[in-house]
Amino acid sequence: MTILSGDPLTQLSFSVYGNKGVYALLVGSGLSRSASIPTGWEITIDLVRRVATAQGVPEQTDWAAWYRTQFRREPNYSELVEQLGMSPDERRSILHAYIEPDEADQEEGRKLPTKAHQAIARLVKDGYIKVIITTNFDRLVENALREAGVEPTVVASVDALLGAEPLVHSSAYLLKLHGDYKDARILNTEAELTGYPAQYDALLDRIVDEYGLIVCGWSGEWDHALRAALLRAPSRRYPMFWAVRGTIGTGATELIHQRRAQTIEISDADAFFEGMEQRVQTLARTHRQHPLGIELLVNTVKRYLGKPEFQIPLDDLMASEFRTMLERIDAEGLTPDGTWSVEEFKSRVALYESFSEPLVRVAAIIGRWGGQTEHRVILEIVKTLSAQADRELGGLVAWLNIRSYPAVLIAASYGLGLVRGRRWKDLYEFLGAEFQRPNESSPQRIVDFLFLAAWAGSDNDYWRNLEGLDGRKTAFSDHLHELLGIWSAPMSGTLPDFDLLFETWEILGGLVHLGQTDENLLIEALSQPAPHNWMWFPAGRSVWHTSTRERIFKEIQEKKTKAELLQAGFAKGSEEFLDKLITNYARMASRMRW
């Protein structure tokens, strides 16, 4: 079993995304079914009904069964249209009423582009699909494309083919094999569908050879010339995917077997194309910079750090990465408008993480090996990101709250690097750095609004929606722990215990947060009877991870480390105050155990 087992639609979406413009669509009447344009079989049965009713036959519950009983064979569209319309113009007229929307259709939204047509149009507009082959006479595909701002090259006759823009130069090429319902040259009898003009065959041979194929809404039973084109193509350089609704017919089965196509069971064309388009767009939005590119960035920063001659190139590199990050966030248009949904939350988290990853990983490196110059750069980045997030003051609270997630990630990663490098003074100054924010009467410290539970976006009701975090008391902290454990690997090096590093950062951040409290207020709180004998501070997984927390407390209280922390500014430089802060931390933790 693999990660994509049982999910061929996602497999197809990855292939479409990763091979932009390589796949062509082959769509039939099933594509237009939800537009209330009947399929060929439905037109056939309706023609049987209309002819029989005109001959005085009473209304039947099953006209197909009636036809079989009367004529001892299956109803045949080709036979019926040949009998009813002797000329091409007459045959075109028969179909016109089934396809052209009248006033009632317009009012009720029938015979107009469907969700499937619109999803296809978006895929074409974004360059993922360039070639569409259809057996349909209607104009729903080209109408949807034009509504999306795409002007297609439409080939519905040999004359149009000869004068059309070359396939290779077209961004949207629509081949209507059977013609257009307003053109008398449509092909709709079995005899007419036996063979195509040589020019069509040559074009089909090229498409089938050079493109992958996605088939939807075509039965594969009739259209003998199209079947022949698929069967004679020798190349299988790109895959074929066949969307199947219900039972697969014998004609389709033969083609699927011969072309080694992968079948995808679908409920309808709308769900299929919308599902594929949404997956492709999600892949585009969440596609992270190539790992090799990020590794190159990280290694370049490592080479530049600590070398005065590389100070300017390092500054330029950081500025360039930061501009790229801001451009990607702005381009995505993550406004605070809209309604809450779990999927939208997951999508926004993934996007913010994708855009932030390069700088987050660099921040960890700078935290461990950088100096004061780089310290100011990181501080300015966090300040700018926070200010960007604060510009939006109206909208859905959840989307407003997580706008500053990139600033949180960079601040956390940099803090981890500072802890790894035992840069206690820089850590204290960084967490205590003040920003003036909108609607705040006085400046706020980083630790007061971008640290763990002090951050407005850290609500468990949000983060428990992520996989594996359901029911967690510290869901946001747990997610950070998992994410930064991977991204901070180049900084943490051979450190055997990332839990220790991460929770040291948590605990020291908690001490900084409470460190500006009036010592007398803390003493008063500690003197209260349990369970109210402690003061709140932002904390994470360290409150329940007792064994690691005790190890950290023990190290903090060792003479050398305690002296370094006090000299850096922790607990206002007071050993007695530091002991009280640790006591308070332990008491709060005792109230939040699993």
Side-chain angles (χ1 to χ4, degrees):
M1 185 175 181
T2 68
I3 191 172
L4 288 176
S5 294
D7 191 7
L9 180 56
T10 297
Q11 180 184 349
L12 168 60
S13 303
F14 263 91
S15 193
V16 170
Y17 173 73
N19 299 279
K20 203 169 188 177
V22 161
Y23 280 90
L25 300 184
L26 170 53
V27 294
S29 60
L31 179 68
S32 302
R33 184 65 191 88
S34 66
S36 298
I37 293 178
T39 64
W41 172 253
E42 290 166 335
I43 293 175
T44 300
I45 299 305
D46 191 57
L47 291 175
V48 168
R49 178 190 63 80
R50 291 168 62 188
V51 172
T53 301
Q55 294 174 339
V57 177
E59 187 66 35
Q60 304 289 315
T61 56
D62 188 341
W63 283 104
W66 174 85
Y67 190 95
R68 295 185 193 103
T69 301
Q70 292 293 316
F71 302 103
R72 300 186 183 281
R73 63 177 181 270
E74 288 289 320
N76 185 289
Y77 170 80
S78 182
E79 288 180 6
L80 285 166
V81 294
E82 283 185 298
Q83 293 170 19
L84 291 169
M86 300 307 294
S87 71
D89 281 307
E90 289 174 314
R91 294 199 292 271
R92 179 187 61 79
S93 299
I94 290 171
L95 287 173
H96 193 279
Y98 290 105
I99 295 173
E100 184 75 18
D102 57 24
E103 187 175 337
D105 291 326
Q106 294 278 3
E107 290 179 357
E108 298 180 20
R110 295 191 299 263
K111 299 179 182 177
L112 301 175
T114 66
K115 293 178 180 178
H117 293 98
Q118 292 161 355
I120 290 170
R122 290 191 293 270
L123 288 167
V124 172
K125 183 177 182 179
D126 292 338
Y128 295 105
I129 300 294
K130 294 185 177 181
V131 179
I132 304 170
I133 307 167
T134 182
T135 59
N136 296 343
F137 306 121
D138 63 62
R139 295 183 174 181
L140 298 186
V141 171
E142 50 263 60
N143 289 346
L145 289 170
R146 288 174 180 131
E147 287 172 6
V150 177
E151 183 58 42
T153 298
V154 181
V155 174
S157 67
V158 172
D159 292 341
L161 174 61
L162 296 176
E165 182 180 31
L167 179 66
V168 69
H169 295 155
S170 179
S171 59
Y173 196 95
L174 176 61
L175 174 58
K176 304 182 73 168
L177 285 172
H178 298 172
D180 185 273
Y181 77 98
K182 290 192 174 183
D183 190 328
R185 292 170 293 182
I186 58 174
L187 308 179
N188 65 354
T189 69
E190 192 164 356
E192 291 170 337
L193 296 174
T194 300
Y196 290 143
Q199 295 93 331
Y200 272 21
D201 280 337
L203 178 59
L204 280 173
D205 288 348
R206 179 181 175 187
I207 292 172
V208 176
D209 177 61
E210 296 178 0
Y211 291 81
L213 276 179
I214 301 169
V215 183
C216 181
W218 182 59
S219 68
E221 298 297 325
W222 313 108
D223 313 320
H224 305 297
L226 179 54
R227 285 176 47 80
L230 295 176
L231 290 170
R232 69 174 173 261
S235 173
R236 295 187 183 87
R237 69 180 73 191
Y238 296 111
M240 173 188 278
F241 291 85
W242 197 304
V244 175
R245 183 174 180 265
T247 305
I248 305 175
T250 55
T253 299
E254 179 187 8
L255 290 169
I256 289 168
H257 176 74
Q258 198 270 350
R259 298 295 303 173
R260 299 176 188 170
Q262 179 164 348
T263 59
I264 302 176
E265 293 185 7
I266 66 172
S267 57
D268 55 50
D270 286 350
F272 171 65
F273 281 109
E274 276 202 315
M276 179 172 68
E277 191 260 340
Q278 288 169 2
R279 284 166 170 79
V280 169
Q281 296 302 339
T282 297
L283 288 169
R285 291 196 304 267
T286 59
H287 179 68
R288 294 193 173 111
Q289 186 175 330
H290 193 282
L292 291 179
I294 296 178
E295 291 304 323
L296 178 61
L297 173 66
V298 168
N299 289 331
T300 301
V301 170
K302 283 182 177 180
R303 290 198 305 273
Y304 285 174
L305 282 174
K307 298 177 182 177
E309 66 272 25
F310 288 123
Q311 183 175 325
I312 293 177
L314 177 58
D315 187 76
D316 290 343
L317 180 63
M318 294 290 292
S320 175
E321 285 297 323
F322 186 50
R323 283 194 302 270
T324 299
M325 178 184 181
L326 291 179
E327 288 169 2
R328 295 182 71 189
I329 293 175
D330 288 342
E332 191 56 40
L334 293 169
T335 68
D337 302 321
T339 57
W340 163 266
S341 75
V342 170
E343 290 307 314
E344 179 64 16
F345 176 75
K346 290 179 179 178
S347 174
R348 291 189 181 222
V349 167
L351 286 169
Y352 285 131
E353 290 174 355
S354 168
F355 302 152
S356 306
E357 182 181 359
L359 275 180
V360 171
R361 294 180 63 175
V362 165
I365 298 297
I366 290 176
R368 182 174 183 185
W369 288 294
Q372 282 301 302
T373 300
E374 295 78 32
H375 179 87
R376 289 190 290 270
V377 170
I378 295 295
L379 195 59
E380 188 61 30
I381 287 174
V382 172
K383 181 178 181 179
T384 303
L385 286 172
S386 175
Q388 289 274 80
D390 285 339
R391 286 180 183 176
E392 295 284 354
L393 300 177
L396 188 71
V397 172
W399 305 153
L400 287 169
N401 287 344
I402 65 169
R403 280 175 57 82
S404 53
Y405 186 38
V408 172
L409 288 172
I410 291 174
S413 182
Y414 183 58
L416 289 173
L418 293 173
V419 173
R420 183 71 175 99
R422 297 181 68 87
R423 295 172 59 188
W424 307 129
K425 189 174 190 306
D426 288 337
L427 176 65
Y428 182 79
E429 290 180 355
F430 177 74
L431 291 173
E434 294 183 336
F435 299 159
Q436 182 61 56
R437 304 178 64 215
N439 299 326
E440 297 291 342
S441 58
S442 58
Q444 285 187 300
R445 299 175 301 166
I446 286 178
V447 76
D448 294 330
F449 72 100
L450 292 177
F451 179 75
L452 294 178
W455 178 49
S458 66
D459 194 318
N460 267 347
D461 288 341
Y462 301 156
W463 297 92
R464 283 173 177 165
N465 290 299
L466 299 190
E467 186 176 354
L469 299 180
D470 182 36
R472 297 289 188 93
K473 287 187 176 181
T474 56
F476 175 60
S477 170
D478 292 340
H479 179 67
L480 275 186
H481 173 268
E482 180 181 357
L483 183 71
L484 298 180
I486 298 171
W487 288 359
S488 300
M491 171 274 298
S492 56
T494 58
L495 184 70
D497 193 343
F498 183 75
D499 289 359
L500 191 69
L501 172 65
F502 186 86
E503 291 170 35
T504 298
W505 166 75
E506 282 196 344
I507 289 173
L508 291 178
L511 298 182
V512 172
H513 182 274
L514 206 56
Q516 283 196 341
T517 302
D518 187 308
E519 187 172 357
N520 292 326
L521 293 177
L522 181 59
I523 293 172
E524 182 180 352
L526 294 175
S527 66
Q528 298 298 314
H532 305 295
N533 55 347
W534 52 275
M535 294 184 71
W536 182 89
F537 56 89
R541 53 188 282 118
S542 59
V543 295
W544 55 263
H545 202 185
T546 307
S547 59
T548 301
R549 185 179 70 248
E550 293 302 328
R551 287 175 60 195
I552 295 167
F553 283 166
K554 184 177 180 180
E555 180 181 351
I556 288 175
Q557 291 173 313
E558 288 179 355
K559 185 176 181 179
K560 180 175 182 296
T561 303
K562 180 181 282 189
E564 291 174 352
L565 291 172
L566 294 174
Q567 186 175 7
F570 284 83
K572 302 176 183 177
S574 167
E575 181 176 355
E576 183 179 356
F577 190 27
L578 179 61
D579 291 339
K580 288 183 174 63
L581 290 173
I582 292 174
T583 298
N584 184 77
Y585 205 112
R587 286 190 182 177
M588 178 172 163
S590 70
R591 305 299 305 168
M592 297 183 66
R593 290 178 181 170
W594 291 111

